[in-house]
Amino acid sequence: MAVPLGFTTAVVISSSEAAEEVLKTKDVETCTRPQMLGARRLSYNFKDITFAQFTDTWKENHKVSMVELLNFKKLQTFKSLKEEEMDFMCLGQNLHTNKFFDEEKIIQLVMEGSLATGEFGVADFYPGKLGNFADWLLQRKRVILEKMFKELDDFYQHVIDDHLKSLDGPRGTDPSADIVSGMLNLVGKNGTPGSKRNLDQVKGVLMNLFLGGIDTVAIILIWAMTELIRHPRAMKKAQEEIRSVLGEKREKLTEEDLEKVEYLKLIVKETFRLHPSVPTIPRESMCPIKIQGYDIPANTRIYINVWAIGREAKVWENPEEFIPERFMDSDVHFKGQHYELLPFGSGRRLCPAVSFASSTIEFGLLNMLYFFDWSLPDGVVAEDIDMGDIGNISFYKKVPLLLVPVKHI
Ligand code: HEM
């Protein structure tokens, strides 16, 4: 479907067949991103990974992220950090004891910052003098964005200073310590690490991890718990499996335990299908292409509607129903090779944290289901739960989920 957006055109892809054509056959031609006002400011003019166009800076940053987030040895290191709840999305910061911001402030910044990356200006759709003038008139939007930028910038500077201070420590500029060290090492090779351009590049990537790496994971955990409380049979089945294969009265679980709990993984997959944290993936054509026989000119925004594809009636039986069992004996995975399930995207721009994020979610859910039994507050029934969502790039549950945990003994 082609939609006119101001002076620009957007194409929305809502079938797995068309998605395969864009993300596999035409990946090289469509692996750049459209430019938007909020993302431009918060990414230090696209010096990041997520919002950057297909440039040399993206290639450099992407390489570091692949080493840091996809590398098997790294994942093993993160495993112990996750089990100890120590590391904060690979930034080398402890969320619970962070002196710069308290937990509440971090949650507020992540939510407001994520929304701000999706902010658009008039010039995004009416490029040229007219759009720029209209944006100049919209002072309020700019002031809010600048305030957000300043708060986030101060936090990234704190993370960088922390790393530079401990040059001799385990996290200094040892490129193998974490992604911040990896980025500092990269920009050090490119010249002075402290130059503004280089610092912007490190901060751009920090923005991706901080704003893109926390809420996306939390959103899936919240939806998984929402679906489980609405489907007590699935909740019971998951808890029985977990507690019987892991044994009762364990004080602590480890990530190795995940290898033994099959049904929990089906629950996570089904949650990815029905509630992808990033329901629409933005791409842009870099030259004229043909998709499903239709001509798409260069510089057309292409939005892959992952949410609609996850509910495509041609592919999924009872698509609106939460049925984790549908993935039993199925090889359909979420790592970018199956175009009917694309929560992490696919191709060159596939989420580099796909394994890290999915195991974080599985491990979080495992702990919640093993140690606690869950119920709705008195007087609330499952039918009362609001299933609406809200957002612009990542979508979260509109009405917070309220559950009562009871420690399982
Ligand atoms: C449930 C959790 C997550 C989901 C659903 C998710 C989803 C996505 C999606 C859909 C994309 C765009 C893919 C495309 O264009 O084909 C993406 C890109 C990205 N994600 Fe994730 N993500 C998650 C967690 C994370 C985490 C934890 C991190 C970092 C610690 C992360 C870092 C990134 C980065 C850096 C990119 C940009 C890749 C690029 O444009 O080259 N994501 N993610």
Side-chain angles (χ1 to χ4, degrees), residues 23 27 30-33 48-52 58 61-62 65-66 69 78 89-91 179 205 208-210 212-221 272 275-283 304 306 342-354 356-358 360-361:
L23 299 172
D27 184 37
T30 62
C31 65
T32 197
R33 301 267 191 229
D48 69 327
I49 313 173
T50 311
F51 301 103
W58 174 80
N61 294 346
H62 183 250
S65 78
M66 293 296 276
L69 293 171
F78 290 148
M89 281 303 153
C90 344
L91 302 185
I179 195 158
V205 172
N208 294 158
L209 305 183
F210 186 59
I214 298 177
D215 68 339
T216 44
V217 168
I219 286 167
I220 300 293
L221 271 172
F272 281 146
H275 308 286
S277 345
V278 185
T280 317
I281 298 175
R283 298 286 188 98
I304 316 285
V306 174
L342 291 166
F344 293 96
S346 177
R348 280 174 178 67
R349 306 298 295 242
L350 171 78
C351 174
V354 50
F356 170 68
S358 54
T360 304
I361 291 165

Side-chain angles (χ1 to χ4, degrees), residues 100-365:
F100 197 75
F101 284 139
D102 60 27
E103 275 182 52
E104 259 176 48
K105 180 71 189 169
I106 288 175
I107 293 168
Q108 179 214 328
L109 267 184
V110 168
M111 287 188 73
E112 290 176 4
S114 302
L115 281 175
T117 54
E119 281 284 348
F120 52 84
V122 182
D124 293 329
F125 302 108
Y126 293 92
K129 282 186 186 149
L130 175 70
N132 288 338
F133 179 64
D135 279 335
W136 180 80
L137 288 177
L138 295 172
Q139 290 285 350
R140 202 176 155 265
K141 206 178 213 177
R142 284 225 310 265
V143 170
I144 296 171
L145 201 55
E146 279 314 307
K147 188 172 167 280
M148 173 67 48
F149 175 80
K150 176 80 181 70
E151 279 193 278
L152 290 168
D153 185 72
D154 287 348
F155 174 60
Y156 306 147
Q157 191 61 52
H158 161 78
V159 175
I160 292 171
D161 289 345
D162 211 36
H163 278 71
L164 291 174
K165 233 186 325 187
S166 56
L167 269 179
D168 301 326
R171 288 182 187 280
T173 45
D174 166 8
S176 65
D178 58 33
I179 195 158
V180 187
S181 310
M183 281 304 300
L184 285 170
N185 189 52
L186 167 82
V187 298
K189 278 187 197 145
N190 288 354
T192 332
S195 77
K196 177 160 170 2
R197 196 207 175 278
N198 285 343
L199 273 184
D200 283 358
Q201 194 172 340
V202 181
K203 288 175 179 175
V205 172
L206 281 181
M207 181 275 277
N208 294 158
L209 305 183
F210 186 59
L211 299 185
I214 298 177
D215 68 339
T216 44
V217 168
I219 286 167
I220 300 293
L221 271 172
I222 290 167
W223 278 120
M225 288 305 289
T226 307
E227 290 293 6
L228 287 175
I229 207 77
R230 292 172 78 231
H231 297 89
R233 189 199 53 81
M235 173 88 91
K236 187 161 175 270
K237 188 169 167 182
Q239 287 185 309
E240 279 177 2
E241 182 200 61
I242 292 168
R243 288 169 185 166
S244 80
V245 298
L246 303 187
E248 295 280 341
K249 301 202 172 24
R250 293 262 305 268
E251 278 185 9
K252 200 176 153 202
L253 304 179
T254 66
E255 268 202 57
E256 278 74 38
D257 292 323
L258 284 176
E259 282 150 35
K260 305 169 200 150
V261 288
E262 272 319 300
Y263 192 61
L264 177 123
K265 291 189 185 155
L266 307 186
I267 290 171
V268 172
K269 266 193 192 178
E270 182 67 339
T271 311
F272 281 146
R273 181 183 74 82
L274 281 174
H275 308 286
S277 345
V278 185
T280 317
I281 298 175
R283 298 286 188 98
E284 194 172 285
S285 57
M286 291 189 282
C287 57
I289 51 168
K290 234 186 208 336
I291 298 291
Q292 304 260 286
Y294 292 98
D295 288 320
I296 298 184
N299 308 319
T300 302
R301 291 158 198 252
I302 302 175
Y303 293 100
I304 316 285
N305 191 343
V306 174
W307 184 90
I309 293 171
R311 292 163 190 251
E312 205 181 344
K314 219 166 80 180
V315 175
W316 305 101
E317 209 173 307
N318 298 323
E320 300 296 328
E321 300 290 312
F322 179 78
I323 311 172
E325 286 79 359
R326 71 171 79 243
F327 289 106
M328 234 154 63
D329 305 321
S330 147
D331 65 352
V332 173
H333 216 287
F334 47 77
K335 297 198 172 173
Q337 282 94 41
H338 296 105
Y339 299 87
E340 60 273 50
L341 189 64
L342 291 166
F344 293 96
S346 177
R348 280 174 178 67
R349 306 298 295 242
L350 171 78
C351 174
V354 50
S355 301
F356 170 68
S358 54
S359 65
T360 304
I361 291 165
E362 288 167 359
F363 191 57
L365 195 60

